[in-house]
Amino acid sequence: MTSTFRTLTVPLDGKAFPGGLPSFLVRDDVLCWTRREAGLVGFGEIARFTATGPERFLEADIWWRHLVLEAEVSDSVELPGTGPVAFGSFAFSKTSAHESRLIVPEIVVGVRDGQVWLTQLTFDDGPLTADGALAALNRWLGSGSAAKTTTAAADFAGDGTPGKVPAKEGGAVVRPLPLAAGATLHTGSLSEEDWKAAVAAGVAEIQTGALEKLVLARDIVATVPTGVNAAGVLRELAGRYRECWTYGVDGLVGATPEMLIQVEGRTAQARVLAGTLDRRDAHGEDGLPLDYATRVLAGSEKQRHEHEIAIQSLTTQLAPFSEAMNAHDEPFILELPNVWHLASDVKAELAEVEGHVPTCLALINALHPTAAVCGTPTQVAGALIRKLEHLDRGPYAGPVGWLDAAGNGEWGIALRGAVIEGPDTVRLYAGCGIVDGSQPETELAETWAKFRPMLESLGISS
């Protein structure tokens, strides 16, 4: 590229977009990172980096830092996520053939703390103006974009029916879903029986003392004859799973409850999950559902052991980059519409390493894969995953998110998600932490609970 990378960020009137960020999810090719009504969406593409192998994070980091080093940045908002921004998705495994990627969009809309902004990014030499940026956004949203966006916001607020109030479940907006006509599910890389056998084999390896924990994933394929609408899927996930981070990058879509690393200035935060209970298991139980979840999850030695392994994995890897760190002494119960999790939040103040604060991607390189998605010890668990899963996870359980030129960023773990493989075909992924005492039938049931967010968003009953 011979032209200079230039960006212009200007404020938008948030009152014009009552649905918040999800009201912009009107295109199937949108880049998306949103939680509640805040986050970032991107349209178009002006640059892309791809890589495979063990150095994919560091190679992407070098590419991004070189790209933004001499960028001409005009930013009147100056918040995390303004100025130059790239969205990214990385393969779970260093041995995967799947290409990891950073994508620089042409247009970014951001919402944070009640502020709304618009960024235009370009390599062209023409003038960058607020009017030009708005015109570019309108082109991406289509003719009559203001009306279209307002309509999308109204649809998001309810179910598209004027005056109808959506129900609530576990803090999420729940709307009746039309079932996808003729949708079918197919076996993925392993049948259910073969996957249960893999779990049993994993438990046997753990009992030999070779490892403490192993995370095994499985896939299923959904065929939707009426077609897969990515924007619709993202809107459903954003509405139903408000406590999760809804993501969309190049056909990878989902709503993850797990934050690998969030960096703002010198502060890094993570949310670690390990320990899962299907909310359907609480039906018929005495007392409040949350009390039941606390009793079963927090009172389970197996679940707490699995959680402690995940916390120890993250904090050990993050410690060399930190001046100070704190984590919850006791995990809390994260309540989602489909499951409860044992969760812990970790916060660290980053130290300077060789004269500078580590970037998001440098931290990801050190942290990934955590015990929450791989196991421990990492090398032993990774080799066993390759032996037992018979599956290239691709981007599943890999980092997904965004970063800006100032070093800020949010990177979740691509869980509760799927890859749209064709106009009517979607591959869904789910995994479970296996420890001594894990039961194959129970773990299989847990994968179906974790498939539920994507199945619901596709209009498939489960």
Side-chain angles (χ1 to χ4, degrees):
M1 298 175 184
T2 55
S3 299
T4 302
F5 182 33
R6 299 184 303 135
T7 69
L8 171 68
T9 300
V10 295
L12 288 179
D13 179 6
K15 294 179 181 178
F17 309 107
L21 198 69
S23 66
F24 289 91
L25 300 177
V26 296
R27 292 182 59 95
D28 285 350
D29 56 355
V30 70
L31 296 159
C32 171
W33 179 268
T34 177
R35 183 171 184 253
R36 299 172 183 157
E37 280 73 48
L40 300 172
V41 295
F43 300 93
E45 178 181 327
I46 64 168
R48 171 184 293 242
F49 173 84
T50 60
T52 57
E55 303 300 318
R56 60 199 183 284
F57 303 115
L58 296 180
E59 290 173 7
D61 192 25
I62 291 169
W63 180 83
W64 177 244
R65 284 190 284 130
H66 283 177
L67 185 65
V68 302
L69 184 62
E70 297 182 356
E72 294 180 2
V73 179
S74 176
D75 182 358
S76 61
V77 180
E78 295 186 338
L79 287 173
T82 61
V85 167
F87 292 79
S89 163
F90 289 83
F92 167 80
S93 174
K94 63 185 179 183
T95 66
S96 175
H98 177 81
E99 285 190 336
S100 300
R101 62 207 64 189
L102 287 180
I103 300 172
V104 182
E106 178 192 343
I107 289 291
V108 175
V109 178
V111 178
R112 180 187 176 97
D113 299 330
Q115 292 185 261
V116 185
W117 67 86
L118 171 64
T119 300
Q120 185 174 13
L121 308 92
T122 185
F123 288 98
D124 293 338
D125 296 329
L128 284 176
T129 65
D131 287 344
L134 283 168
L137 175 62
N138 288 341
R139 286 197 302 273
W140 280 107
L141 293 178
S143 59
S145 61
K148 190 172 183 179
T149 302
T150 302
T151 300
D155 287 347
F156 178 79
D159 66 351
T161 304
K164 192 167 183 179
V165 179
K168 294 275 186 178
E169 179 184 327
V173 178
V174 178
R175 301 178 296 282
L177 280 177
L179 292 182
T184 55
L185 295 178
H186 312 274
T187 298
S189 299
L190 290 177
S191 68
E192 291 190 350
E193 290 304 315
D194 287 341
W195 190 80
K196 287 191 293 183
V199 171
V203 172
E205 288 289 337
I206 291 168
Q207 290 172 342
T208 69
L211 70 167
E212 278 191 276
K213 177 184 176 181
L214 172 70
V215 180
L216 287 178
R218 57 184 288 253
D219 62 333
I220 57 174
V221 179
T223 301
V224 184
T226 53
V228 179
N229 178 261
V233 167
L234 292 171
R235 286 198 301 273
E236 289 293 340
L237 291 171
R240 290 170 175 265
Y241 291 83
R242 288 170 49 79
E243 295 307 306
C244 296
W245 290 270
T246 298
Y247 58 86
V249 179
D250 249 16
L252 172 68
V253 294
T256 182
E258 190 151 0
M259 176 67 75
L260 176 61
I261 199 73
Q262 175 187 28
V263 177
E264 184 175 334
R266 295 186 64 155
T267 301
Q269 299 185 73
R271 172 163 288 181
V272 181
L273 308 180
T276 304
L277 179 63
D278 191 341
R279 289 189 61 156
R280 289 180 176 176
D281 292 344
H283 290 175
E285 293 290 332
D286 294 332
L288 296 173
L290 192 57
D291 292 340
Y292 169 75
T294 302
R295 185 172 71 252
V296 174
L297 281 177
S300 166
E301 183 178 344
K302 170 187 173 292
Q303 300 278 19
R304 289 185 71 95
H305 176 58
E306 181 184 344
H307 190 78
E308 287 165 5
I309 291 171
I311 286 289
Q312 186 65 37
S313 165
L314 179 92
T315 55
T316 298
Q317 296 302 107
L318 189 56
F321 301 93
S322 306
E323 293 180 345
M325 188 186 311
N326 63 67
H328 288 140
D329 293 332
E330 285 289 318
F332 63 92
I333 302 296
L334 177 65
E335 185 178 7
L336 301 177
N338 60 325
V339 295
W340 291 286
H341 288 296
L342 277 182
S344 292
D345 287 339
V346 177
K347 186 174 183 179
E349 291 303 311
L350 298 174
E352 287 192 359
V353 178
E354 297 180 353
H356 62 83
V357 175
T359 64
C360 293
L361 294 177
L363 292 173
I364 290 171
N365 184 62
L367 296 174
H368 178 80
T370 66
V373 292
C374 179
T376 188
T378 304
Q379 296 299 326
V380 177
L384 197 54
I385 284 170
R386 291 190 290 273
K387 176 183 176 182
L388 295 178
E389 278 187 356
H390 300 279
L391 168 71
D392 184 343
R393 293 184 180 184
Y396 167 73
V400 60
W402 63 269
L403 76 168
D404 67 16
N408 306 303
E410 294 179 286
W411 293 87
I413 300 175
L415 305 175
R416 311 296 190 273
V419 174
I420 300 173
E421 296 186 334
D424 61 358
T425 306
V426 185
R427 187 174 299 272
L428 291 73
Y429 298 85
C432 298
I434 310 301
V435 295
D436 190 11
S438 292
Q439 299 296 320
E441 194 69 44
T442 302
E443 303 302 332
L444 179 67
E446 184 176 315
T447 63
W448 280 110
K450 290 175 175 178
F451 282 135
R452 203 175 302 146
M454 279 303 310
L455 290 173
E456 290 172 346
S457 69
L458 290 166
I460 301 173
S461 59
S462 62

